[in-house]
Each structure stands twice: as structure tokens, then as C-alpha cells.
């Protein structure tokens, strides 16, 4: 078997985005980021969410991170992006942590909007040091999320299937288009990931039909008992249940969306 990995260098910065909360943005960023690192890829995860869920998974230390990065850009004291990176939290995996719950009051939307172009430029420089840069966004749509999405090459939208998913998704896709347009960039949606699906009652064909107008590849990650437990105890799905359904679903996404693996 010759496994050829086809890289698309213009799609290295990928945001996990949905203004709806609790849909699996953090679990997906974490599972895919650590999965890519295990597959030999050099990965940077940016915790873009002031809730800091992803940071708490990797560290209890208050290392300088995302907030300090933005603050220093705002103050004019910024010198080097490397200062905000916590290296080797896992093999081949670095993070820019974020434990600043007060971020939105410490830095106002107008200040974030002002430093956005410089931040985006720095992120584009930074991506040359990594195979992938993944951004875990918060469940909001303020200047912070606008800036993060504008810095992405593409985004992935995790969501749970509900009656309101379709109207919510249309709104989100429109916003992403506008945000990208403001910085002259065309940010496409790489995939929809339906999370916490019931394997017993497979509804993927139904979802594909309902969401076919969006013309976006659709994936699922089934509901897993072990995933929330393992995250709580600081273990990835690859460490806690590597042979389970959820790991298989994330593996599928990694191979299809990220590595474009061609089995010949
Ligand atoms: N496939 C899954 N099976 C079971 N539980 C899951 C699955 N994916 C995520 N969860 C759980 O659902 C909860 C919400 O997930 P997560 O924190 O990833 O969502 P989020 O979109 O990042 O939330 P927020 O908007 O608050 O940042 C967590 O407890 C997580 O462990
Ligand atoms: Mg989250």
C-alpha cells in the first residue's frame, strides 16, 4: 500500500466555529489536533476561547498566551510570537493558551478590531512553522471571533442536529463570508461535523439530503461515553478509547479532510 499525503499549503489555518455553545468545537479541535500530531504532523492549537477549556486540558500553568499576544499588540509592546506559545504539550503539538475569562472586558471590541490586521499577518507568518494551525473559537460572534475567523484559511463547523440547525447554519455561513470579505479573503467551510449522533439510528443520509443545498462535506462523530470522561481526566480519545466509534469517526475526518490520504 502506498499512502500518499497530498498537502494543500493554502489550507493550513483551520478554525472550529459555531456561535452555538456545547456543540463539540473544543472536543473536535482537541481530538483532531492530537490525532494529526500522532500521525506525524506538526500542530499548533490556538485556544481562542476565553473560557480556556482547551488550555485547562493541557496545563494548569498561567503561561503567557492568546490574551497577552493581543494585549501586547494593542500596547505596542509586541516583539515575538514565540513568547505566547507553550511548546510540546504533546509530541509535535504546541498551543497558544488562553485562560483570560475577562478578555472581553480587558480588551474592547474596537481595540481588537484595530489590531486584527496585524494579528492576521502574524498568524500567516506563524503557519509556515507548522503543518496545521487549529483554532478553537468561543460560542460568540464578537470582534474576537471575527478576527480569528478572518485569520483562517478555512473553517469547520461542528453542530448538533436540531430543527434550528439549518437557519442557524445559514446565518453563520453568511457571517463568515462577510468577515472574510472585510479582510479581502474568501474563507470556505471545509466540513460540517454532526456531533453526538446516535450510531444505532443512522441519520447521515437524511442530514446529507437536508443540508445538500450548502454543498459542504458532512461528517459525524457519534455520541461517546468515554469522550467527555477522558477529556475531564486529561486524556485524549486516542489515549482513552482508540478503538471506539468516536475515535474512528475523528480518524475518518483526519484522513479525508486534513491528510487527503490516497490509498493506492
Ligand atoms: N461525540 C461526543 N460524544 C459525547 N459527548 C461529547 C461529544 N463531543 C463533545 N461532547 C461533550 O459535550 C460537551 C460540549 O462539548 P465541547 O466543550 O467540545 O463543545 P463546545 O462547542 O466547545 O462548547 P463551548 O461553546 O462552550 O465552547 C462536553 O462535555 C464534551 O465532552
Ligand atoms: Mg469550547
Amino acid at each position: 500500500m502506498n499512502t500518499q499525503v497530498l498537502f494543500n499549503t493554502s489550507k493550513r489555518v483551520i478554525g472550529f466555529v459555531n456561535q452555538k455553545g456545547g456543540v463539540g468545537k473544543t472536543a473536535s479541535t482537541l481530538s483532531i489536533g492530537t490525532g494529526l500530531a500522532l500521525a506525524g504532523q506538526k500542530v499548533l492549537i490556538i485556544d481562542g476561547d476565553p473560557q480556556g477549556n482547551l488550555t485547562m486540558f493541557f496545563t494548569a500553568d498561567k503561561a503567557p498566551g492568546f490574551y497577552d499576544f493581543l494585549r501586547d499588540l494593542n500596547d505596542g509592546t509586541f516583539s515575538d510570537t514565540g513568547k505566547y506559545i507553550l511548546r510540546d504539550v504533546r509530541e509535535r503539538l504546541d498551543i497558544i493558551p488562553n485562560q483570560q475569562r475577562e478578555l472581553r472586558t480587558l480588551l474592547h471590541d474596537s481595540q481588537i478590531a484595530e489590531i486584527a490586521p496585524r494579528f492576521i499577518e502574524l498568524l500567516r507568518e506563524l503557519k509556515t512553522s507548522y503543518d496545521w494551525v487549529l483554532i478553537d473559537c468561543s460560542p460568540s460572534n464578537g470582534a474576537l471571533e471575527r478576527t480569528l475567523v478572518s485569520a483562517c484559511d478555512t473553517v469547520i463547523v461542528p453542530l448538533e442536529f436540531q430543527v434550528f440547525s439549518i437557519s442557524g447554519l445559514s446565518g453563520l455561513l453568511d457571517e463568515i463570508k462577510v468577515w472574510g470579505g472585510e479582510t479581502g479573503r474568501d474563507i470556505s467551510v471545509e466540513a460540517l461535523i454532526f456531533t453526538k449522533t446516535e450510531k444505532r439510528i443512522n441519520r447521515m443520509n437524511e442530514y446529507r439530503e437536508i443540508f445538500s443545498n450548502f454543498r459542504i462535506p458532512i461528517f459525524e462523530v457519534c455520541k461517546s461515553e468515554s469522550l467527555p470522561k477522558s477529556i475531564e481526566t486529561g486524556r485524549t480519545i486516542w489515549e482513552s478509547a482508540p478503538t471506539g466509534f468516536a475515535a474512528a469517526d475523528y480518524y475518518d475526518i483526519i484522513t479525508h479532510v486534513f491528510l487527503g490520504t490516497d490509498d493506492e
Side-chain angles (χ1 to χ4, degrees):
M1 184 177 68
N2 175 16
T3 299
Q4 195 191 352
V5 176
L6 308 166
F7 286 126
N8 183 338
T9 50
S10 64
K11 291 187 180 180
R12 293 285 173 90
V13 184
I14 302 193
F16 289 77
V17 181
N18 194 337
Q19 62 212 41
K20 194 155 170 35
V23 292
K25 295 181 288 294
T26 301
S28 298
T29 312
L30 176 64
S31 303
I32 292 171
T34 51
L36 282 167
L38 283 173
Q41 305 281 294
K42 178 88 180 138
V43 180
L44 172 70
I45 292 180
I46 299 176
D47 188 351
D49 185 352
Q51 295 181 98
N53 295 343
L54 200 109
T55 300
M56 282 184 269
F57 176 89
F58 287 111
T59 180
D61 292 346
K62 267 253 178 208
F66 185 64
Y67 164 72
D68 309 81
F69 190 173
L70 297 184
R71 184 203 53 207
D72 292 352
L73 281 175
N74 184 57
D75 293 352
T77 52
F78 171 86
S79 58
D80 171 24
T81 318
K83 226 167 97 179
Y84 315 103
I85 299 175
L86 196 56
R87 302 200 186 267
D88 300 318
V89 289
R90 289 284 199 280
E91 203 176 348
R92 289 180 293 274
L93 181 66
D94 296 349
I95 67 163
I96 295 184
N98 189 349
Q99 292 169 326
Q100 205 70 44
R101 285 181 177 275
E102 312 84 3
L103 192 151
R104 280 175 219 279
T105 46
L106 292 168
L107 270 177
H108 295 292
D109 275 11
S110 58
Q111 293 171 307
I112 295 176
E114 204 160 304
I115 56 176
R118 181 74 179 122
F119 173 77
I120 293 167
E121 193 185 301
L122 287 166
L123 211 59
R124 308 210 71 69
E125 281 169 23
L126 190 60
K127 83 167 180 174
T128 57
S129 306
Y130 292 92
D131 293 315
W132 303 97
V133 178
L134 307 186
I135 306 179
D136 183 22
C137 293
S138 73
S140 184
N141 60 354
L144 188 61
E145 292 66 37
R146 251 178 140 86
T147 302
L148 287 171
V149 168
S150 305
C152 291
D153 296 316
T154 67
V155 298
I156 288 178
V157 179
L159 71 170
E160 281 180 80
F161 183 79
Q162 290 169 350
V163 180
F164 298 120
S165 303
I166 296 184
S167 56
L169 183 62
S170 300
L172 179 63
L173 299 185
D174 288 346
E175 272 171 353
I176 291 169
K177 198 166 271 172
V178 171
W179 296 350
E182 283 169 0
T183 47
R185 310 196 46 243
D186 183 16
I187 299 155
S188 61
V189 180
E190 188 87 48
L192 304 179
I193 304 179
F194 286 95
T195 58
K196 308 179 202 177
T197 61
E198 297 284 350
K199 266 279 187 264
R200 282 178 300 112
I201 35 172
N202 186 343
R203 297 181 67 186
M204 284 309 282
N205 285 340
E206 193 187 330
Y207 295 169
R208 285 203 172 91
E209 205 175 313
I210 296 171
F211 287 84
S212 63
N213 283 348
F214 293 108
R215 296 176 200 284
I216 300 169
I218 289 180
F219 294 86
E220 72 171 321
V221 176
C222 70
K223 191 181 280 170
S224 152
E225 269 184 38
S226 48
L227 183 63
K229 277 188 212 148
S230 70
I231 292 177
E232 271 169 33
T233 55
R235 289 182 311 152
T236 67
I237 191 80
W238 315 109
E239 291 158 346
S240 65
T243 56
F245 285 127
D249 289 338
Y250 275 122
Y251 183 78
D252 189 45
I253 295 167
I254 288 171
T255 49
H256 285 92
V257 179
F258 287 80
L259 301 182
T261 308
D262 238 4
D263 286 335
E264 286 172 12

